[in-house]
Amino acid sequence: MATMKQVAERAGVSTTTVSHVLNNTRAVSEDVKERVRTAMAEMRYIPSAVARSLKNDKTHTIGMMIPNNTNPYFAELIQGIEDASFKQGYNVILCNAYDDTRKQSAYLQVLMEKRIDGLILVASGADDELSSRLQHQPIPTVLVDREVEGVQADFVEADHEEGGYLATKYLIGLGHKDIACVSGPIDLLPSRARVEGYLRALKEAGLRFRLDYLVRSDFTSEGGFQAFKQLLAMPKPPSAIFASNDLMAIGGLCAANAAGVRVPEQLSVIGYDDIALASFTTPPLTTMAQPKYEMGALTARVLLDRVAGPTLPLRREMLHTELVVRQSTARLA
């Protein structure tokens, strides 16, 4: 790889002049600029982003941390973030914690060493070390879906309580009274909020909440499969199940099929997120659609506004979910 010194020698200028052309830090004649750019092109010179950041205090790079990229929900969120960032001249470095708080902490250190201009964080559960690190290494940060205790930052989320409420209310409107909920981990805000919406809809309709109809698992198809298997083996199984994400609902469809339970004739199933795969399950999955791409784009804009204006008031943005009716739900016979 060519060096700045080699470029300077070919252009017949000093390395300082090459630096000024790269960073636009001093007036340089058009003739000299052209010679330097021609030399860089001929030698395929690639400037060091780290070196330039030391001069300009900007890398035009955003760091993003997600809990687990096996969940398709994050793919659309990331796409929105990348598209909005790219439009404003920023690149995105993506780190995946795989729901491991130790990896989360280690990757955060890596991102800081890369001198990122800002951080987008979907936290992997509670972590005291994460909270301490973010407080002692202040950097423009936007939290998505999950707040971190003790960290004052911009926050973007969907209305999970509303989503859980609307999903359950829809099932009640179909005549179901024995409605179970397969929830995500209790320590995650979206999980708790969706359950709160489920409980609110039951209470509003005068339906009794059964503790054994609330099963907690993780946000995976395997977790959903095991939770549905448990519910369908009960002496009086539910006639409808609200799953807190589509992956769990898809695992649940497999569990119902394995148990010989027909969906939606014997069991109505509704998911949450509206991932692309939800349209192609058997039967196609009714779900609560989160505005994933829009949320990602908004998150990027909020972060770049924070990078440009560190003293602006903190923002809390909430987006709404929407019911998408497909063929996994039906009126109770």
Side-chain angles (χ1 to χ4, degrees):
M1 185 179 293
T3 65
M4 186 183 292
K5 183 178 179 182
Q6 291 169 328
V7 170
E9 289 173 352
R10 176 168 293 201
V13 298
S14 68
T15 55
T16 301
T17 300
V18 174
S19 176
H20 287 315
V21 172
L22 281 171
N23 298 297
N24 196 29
T25 49
R26 195 184 73 186
V28 179
S29 70
E30 288 302 319
D31 174 63
V32 170
K33 283 183 182 178
E34 184 60 31
R35 281 159 44 201
V36 170
R37 288 167 180 161
T38 299
M40 287 192 293
E42 291 173 350
M43 302 181 78
R44 298 185 179 182
Y45 172 70
I46 301 174
S48 167
V50 173
R52 294 177 72 179
S53 73
L54 292 173
K55 233 175 228 309
N56 303 326
D57 200 32
K58 293 290 181 188
T59 60
H60 285 88
T61 302
I62 290 172
M64 180 175 183
M65 183 96 65
I66 60 173
N68 198 326
N69 65 1
T70 61
N71 187 340
Y73 162 79
F74 291 113
E76 290 185 57
L77 183 74
I78 292 166
Q79 185 180 356
I81 289 169
E82 287 186 326
D83 286 353
S85 301
F86 188 78
K87 285 179 182 178
Q88 296 197 45
Y90 281 77
N91 299 310
V92 178
I93 298 176
L94 177 65
C95 292
N96 179 17
Y98 288 106
D99 296 309
D100 185 330
T101 55
R102 292 172 301 174
K103 283 186 177 180
Q104 179 175 255
S105 182
Y107 278 137
L108 184 58
Q109 179 63 33
V110 170
L111 290 173
M112 296 299 183
E113 291 172 0
K114 296 291 184 183
R115 298 178 63 85
I116 56 174
D117 295 335
L119 173 69
I120 294 171
L121 175 64
V122 187
S124 295
D127 179 11
D128 292 338
E129 186 175 346
L130 172 66
S131 177
S132 176
R133 187 180 292 275
L134 290 176
Q135 289 179 65
H136 291 93
Q137 290 183 311
I139 184 172
T141 300
V142 178
L143 302 177
V144 181
D145 260 347
R146 308 169 185 183
E147 293 188 276
V148 178
E149 187 175 353
V151 175
Q152 298 297 312
D154 296 301
F155 185 53
V156 178
E157 64 174 333
D159 194 338
H160 302 291
E161 197 274 346
E162 175 193 55
Y165 170 77
L166 292 176
T168 309
K169 185 177 180 180
Y170 172 69
L171 294 173
I172 293 170
L174 293 176
H176 295 279
K177 296 181 179 179
D178 299 315
I179 304 170
C181 176
V182 175
S183 166
I186 193 171
D187 62 331
L188 297 181
L189 183 149
S191 298
R192 296 196 303 272
R194 291 170 197 177
V195 171
E196 288 168 3
Y198 160 76
L199 295 174
R200 177 160 71 94
L202 293 181
K203 183 177 180 180
E204 184 181 275
L207 298 178
R208 182 175 67 91
F209 164 61
R210 289 181 51 171
L211 185 60
D212 57 349
Y213 271 14
L214 175 59
V215 180
R216 299 192 185 278
S217 185
D218 54 19
F219 283 130
T220 65
S221 295
E222 174 63 24
F225 181 90
Q226 296 300 333
F228 272 62
K229 185 178 177 181
Q230 176 181 331
L231 288 166
L232 295 176
M234 297 175 66
K236 185 181 180 183
S239 66
I241 301 177
F242 163 46
S244 285
N245 84 344
D246 287 344
L247 287 181
M248 289 196 290
I250 290 169
L253 292 177
C254 292
N257 182 65
V261 176
R262 299 190 309 278
V263 177
E265 294 85 358
Q266 294 174 288
L267 176 70
S268 284
V269 177
I270 184 168
Y272 201 105
D273 285 339
D274 193 29
I275 61 175
L277 188 60
S279 298
F280 301 99
T281 57
T282 303
L285 183 65
T286 296
T287 185
M288 296 302 303
Q290 291 203 71
K292 301 172 289 298
Y293 182 90
E294 294 79 1
M295 183 183 293
L298 174 61
T299 299
R301 292 194 298 270
V302 169
L303 179 61
L304 296 181
D305 286 347
R306 174 63 55 202
V307 170
T311 60
L312 291 172
L314 290 178
R315 292 171 62 178
R316 294 184 67 90
E317 302 286 348
M318 180 176 284
L319 289 81
H320 296 282
T321 54
E322 181 179 351
L323 176 67
V324 177
V325 178
R326 297 194 180 100
Q327 295 161 33
S328 66
T329 49
R331 185 167 292 280
L332 186 66

